[in-house]
Amino acid sequence: MSNADQLEIDKFSALAHRWWDPNSEFKPLHEINPLRLDWIDNHARIAGKAVVDIGCGGGILAESMAQRGARVTGIDLSEKALKVAGLHKLESGVAVDYRHIAAEDLAAEQPGAYDVVTCMEMLEHVPDPASIVNACRQLVKPGGWVFLSTLNRNPKSYLFAIIGAEYILNMLPKSTHDWAKFIKPAELARHVRNAGLDAVEVMGMTYNPFTKVYTLEQDTDVNYMIACRREA
Ligand code: SAH
């Protein structure tokens, strides 16, 4: 468990019981989920595919991918979040295999086992994001897809993701995010390239505080995703 920050895990564990409350601290994840799910599915056609969701938390994305017919494994290092995910699965009847294991350890155990790897809103919480990207590359089959998302690091993301979300709009608890750990698209693209993956598309996810609506667009100033492929 070397590439994990216990304080970060504890933060998510403390809130985990509210994971599936759409009006809780996890509201943003509920609201962006349909957008990222469609984006992933449009690229990778996930029905029938083996998918691993790294840092799955309470399972919002994992369950939604399983509902689209993917065979989903969800991994996280918060036991509480995984417990909540397991309970929610019983309620919703959606099949997801949840495991408490580090990405690097799963990669050593099951190299090349997955058609699709997703790792969303998690890289900005780990000490060594490049190591997670490497694990993604190890986990994915030749020709498979890796989808990553995180927060950009610039004055605007400080204003929106920290000041706006945590202090003005109270969308997130204070100190949910550490701005210094945010990752610029060029930095993430470098991790992707160094891992041996090809970046296929970079997509921004923006929040309009007036309409309270999220949209996918080219603007990667705050939240963004990268679709990557391993060569066939
Ligand atoms: N990916 C989910 C949850 C994002 S919240 C979604 O987008 O809906 C971030 C999650 O990352 C939390 O569940 C937290 O426990 C997990 N996490 C943080 N550090 C981690 C690490 N080093 N390894 C695995 N999971 C981690």
Side-chain angles (χ1 to χ4, degrees), residues 70-135:
R71 288 175 285 121
V72 182
T73 300
I75 68 167
D76 202 287
L77 289 178
S78 162
E79 304 215 31
K80 283 242 176 75
L82 290 171
K83 201 178 224 173
V84 168
L87 287 172
H88 194 270
K89 170 178 94 164
L90 291 180
E91 215 177 284
S92 60
V94 176
V96 177
D97 180 24
Y98 289 111
R99 290 185 63 186
H100 183 258
I101 185 170
E104 291 90 343
D105 294 340
L106 188 71
E109 189 187 300
Q110 303 185 315
Y114 295 92
D115 300 293
V116 177
V117 179
T118 56
C119 181
M120 315 299 270
E121 313 305 323
M122 180 267 203
L123 292 170
E124 70 275 17
H125 299 285
V126 305
D128 183 0
S131 166
I132 302 288
V133 179
N134 278 326

